[in-house]
Amino acid sequence: MARRRAKDKKIYVLDTNILLHEPFAFLNFQEHDVVIPMTVLEELDHIKDKHKDVSREARIAIRALEDVLKDATPEQMLQGVALPSHAEEKNAGHLFIINDHHISDQIPGLPGGENDHLIINTALFLQREKAPTKVILVTKDINMRLKAKGAGLKLVEDYRTDQLIDDVRFLYKGYYKFSGDFWSVVKDCRTHNEGRETYHFVPRSVLPNAYINEYLIDEAETFAGRVLEINEQEIKILDLGFERLMHKHAWGIHPKNIYQAMALNALLDPDMDLVILTGPAGCGKTLIALAAALELVIEKGMYDKVIVTRNTPEIAESIGFLPGTEEEKMAPWLAAITDSLEVLHKTDEHPHASVQYIMDKANIQFKSVNFMRGRSIQNAIVLLDECQNLSAAQLKTIITRCGEGTKLICSGNLSQIDSNYLTAVTSGLTYIVERFKNFEGSTTINLNGVVRSRLASFAEANL
């Protein structure tokens, strides 16, 4: 058994962006060996002192490496330092630091000065020296993966340990649509009435893959409900009523279809601490979220304020040092919010004055993601717009800032990712949709079914 394991052992060479994406990534390769070229340490050193959000990840990665290597001698570092392992894992891998500057060029014409090329050269050197052991370069840089393959490296991979799905098409939508009529599928169920609410108890076999707070609708438009409880035998469903759900409204906004109706129901539910809205541009995510926020703050008085935040196009880097308050400098990035406010009050006699009055009355605050760390937000609605460009770590930072009585609304479009370091499957939005899909205090609604303008629909299908 031990001989077989030794034969199957692999060597993973990590690029810098892996440690910036997940500072503890080098601990996640089980019994395999991990190599970190000196060039990676130099890049981390250059990044750690910059005034960027990613600098924090660089510092965490350096400290994590130091915790493993602090007692190792130079000889031990060359031979490999055992990585921490769980008690049940007796064959832990080793961590190597290699001085890649002294490795001769493995491929003529591959420039040695660029950091990417130095790291690729290290992997090529190990591939030759450690054969037949498999050597794998792990990087999130697509272009680097292409260059490495072109240079002759046999195995190149993306870092997928924290990737919960392989295809965004299979991302949890937050609802399940029955073919035809709901009752023709269910047929037999137990019904219970408590005051104004009606609950149905259906066999688990009807929905074997149901999740808490998942909405249930049918093609016949006769039924709408939400999953409340799940056990091994049956599922408890709250009957929302299709027509009643369609008549939901907030701040003068009425849903155009059942998808927006489900979103409004979740947004107006005080028991929902986290509401995630996904869907293409123009489907009404921001407008519905803002209308619900105004309804809950001004009309119902359930919250004290609305905090609106989003990442800036430079992936949450500094908002600059030009004169002006934080809100004034964030205003251009949050124009979608002010646009939505204008839509909500376009029929008023003085729309501009109405928007300013509502912003003051609802205590709407524009904040930068940069300044969310360390805060504790109490009794507020936090509207996080365009969060498809945030990493899982950045979203975790914001979610953990929400204190008692705070509702977080995350919205984003996975087809419009501006970050150079994220894809649809690695986006923080995808991550939280999958992580929170069985949390009793959250729900997700995908608004792909929303009918948008003819122009937007045509552009998305043909451009």
Side-chain angles (χ1 to χ4, degrees), residues 136-195:
I136 304 165
L137 174 63
V138 186
T139 176
K140 299 198 76 63
D141 187 336
I142 298 174
N143 195 48
M144 186 175 178
R145 294 203 293 267
L146 295 174
K147 287 193 291 184
K149 289 181 180 179
L153 195 61
K154 296 177 182 178
L155 299 171
V156 186
E157 293 181 1
D158 189 4
Y159 181 73
R160 298 180 182 274
T161 302
D162 61 344
Q163 188 172 307
L164 300 179
I165 60 172
D166 294 322
D167 192 332
V168 74
R169 290 177 299 175
F170 303 117
L171 184 66
Y172 176 61
K173 297 187 294 184
Y175 61 86
Y176 180 84
K177 179 181 283 190
F178 289 89
S179 299
D181 179 76
F182 172 80
W183 296 111
S184 63
V185 176
V186 174
K187 295 179 182 177
D188 183 32
C189 79
R190 180 166 55 91
T191 300
H192 175 66
N193 293 312
E194 290 184 13

Side-chain angles (χ1 to χ4, degrees), residues 316-333:
E317 294 189 22
S318 172
I319 58 174
F321 298 96
L322 294 174
T325 64
E326 177 188 356
E327 293 195 2
E328 288 172 341
K329 286 188 282 188
M330 284 298 296
W333 313 129

Side-chain angles (χ1 to χ4, degrees), residues 85-103:
S85 63
H86 300 293
E88 64 273 11
E89 295 178 3
K90 296 181 180 179
N91 295 292
H94 290 75
L95 176 64
F96 297 83
I97 304 294
I98 291 183
N99 187 352
D100 51 333
H101 295 279
H102 292 166
I103 297 175

Side-chain angles (χ1 to χ4, degrees), residues 107-118:
I107 299 292
L110 184 67
E114 289 189 25
N115 290 340
D116 284 0
H117 295 168
L118 288 171

Side-chain angles (χ1 to χ4, degrees), residues 333-352:
W333 313 129
L334 294 166
I337 304 300
T338 51
D339 289 346
S340 296
L341 280 171
E342 290 174 0
V343 170
L344 292 172
H345 295 276
K346 65 181 179 180
T347 58
D348 292 1
E349 187 175 350
H350 301 289
H352 180 75

